[in-house]
Amino acid sequence: MTQEPYYYLPQFLSQAEADALYEHSQALSWQQNDIRMFGKFIPVPRLEAIYGDEGCSYFYSSSVLLEPLPWTDPLAKLRDRIETESGFNFAITTGNRYRVGEHSIGWHSDNEKSLGTSPAIASISLGAIRKFSLKPRKGHEGELQHFFLEHGSLLLMLPGCQSTHIHQLPKTKQSVAERINWTFRPHLNQTRRLDD
Ligand SMILES: O=C(O)CCC(=O)C(=O)O
């Protein structure tokens, strides 16, 4: 049996911790960005935010540039906790705010140059439960998996996962409340290390 390159901890945060982080997240700086698709700029189907170390900007899909604001205390504490428990370092967290069922992210892997060659990526979910799917790329082992990401859960995509798998958070026609996701990522420019 092969070991999957990710794992899911449904109750990483307690209910009270997840509630407090959700409330904190609502007051942060959310942007409606545009992304280039088939030669045209269209609105990204969700709101985005980014917090992190200075000099660690995030550029994705050859069109969206996110420049980090300084860590807030709650996000920095959460980063420290994920680093301690996972053993991986993170330089930025990118936020996704899905306000309605139409808000989504299509199949992709996180393979931007700034992440380095084999990043670990840690994803915290807050608010409404949404379906998140992961599947192996052609030629790689494994099955399509669906996770119903709970309030306060952690999904850790281990080094290698971005080369072998792709993931998405699909649209839903069901009426859903808002969900916020914080994805902690490393960065080639990062200088802070776990044991600093
Ligand atoms: O919202 C999620 O759980 C997925 C976010 C994601 O795939 C990304 O930011 O690259």
Side-chain angles (χ1 to χ4, degrees):
M1 212 175 86
T2 51
Q3 172 105 33
E4 300 295 0
Y6 45 82
Y7 64 82
Y8 178 57
L9 293 177
Q11 279 141 22
F12 180 72
L13 301 177
S14 69
Q15 177 78 36
E17 288 168 335
D19 290 352
L21 192 64
Y22 184 62
E23 202 177 315
H24 173 70
S25 303
Q26 303 236 329
L28 296 183
S29 180
W30 293 96
Q31 314 160 15
Q32 173 64 70
N33 295 311
D34 290 328
I35 187 167
R36 197 172 53 212
M37 297 278 263
F38 310 113
K40 278 203 308 203
F41 276 92
I42 58 164
V44 171
R46 59 193 178 276
L47 299 181
E48 295 177 301
I50 180 168
Y51 289 81
D53 296 354
E54 209 183 329
C56 294
S57 57
Y58 192 67
F59 186 56
Y60 75 89
S61 292
S62 311
S63 53
V64 184
L65 177 64
L66 304 174
E67 297 277 11
L69 292 170
W71 290 102
T72 65
D73 279 353
L75 289 176
K77 283 200 180 97
L78 179 61
R79 174 204 64 203
D80 292 348
R81 180 158 162 199
I82 303 171
E83 287 185 340
T84 307
E85 298 199 19
S86 70
F88 296 108
N89 261 125
F90 302 102
I92 53 171
T93 184
T94 54
N96 292 301
R97 189 169 184 179
Y98 304 89
R99 304 197 88 166
V100 291
E102 278 286 295
H103 280 176
S104 60
I105 189 164
W107 286 112
H108 68 287
S109 66
D110 298 339
N111 56 5
E112 290 67 34
K113 280 206 182 83
S114 63
L115 292 165
T117 44
S118 208
I121 296 190
S123 166
I124 295 285
S125 292
L126 302 167
I129 294 180
R130 292 281 300 262
K131 182 167 90 172
F132 174 93
S133 309
L134 254 163
K135 68 176 179 186
R137 291 175 181 281
K138 271 208 181 90
H140 289 278
E141 279 182 40
E143 305 278 316
L144 170 66
Q145 298 283 347
H146 302 298
F147 293 96
F148 291 86
L149 299 174
E150 288 173 44
H151 183 52
S153 65
L154 168 70
L155 178 81
L156 184 65
M157 292 186 273
L158 295 166
C161 185
Q162 305 305 319
S163 319
T164 56
H165 286 66
I166 55 176
H167 56 273
Q168 70 162 355
L169 189 113
K171 289 183 182 149
T172 171
K173 288 208 160 67
Q174 284 164 15
S175 151
V176 280
E178 178 169 303
R179 168 174 180 269
I180 289 177
N181 158 256
W182 289 108
T183 300
F184 292 79
R185 304 165 189 269
H187 197 286
L188 283 176
N189 292 352
Q190 78 193 56
T191 48
R192 199 182 42 80
R193 300 279 162 218
L194 245 188
D195 38 11
D196 286 352

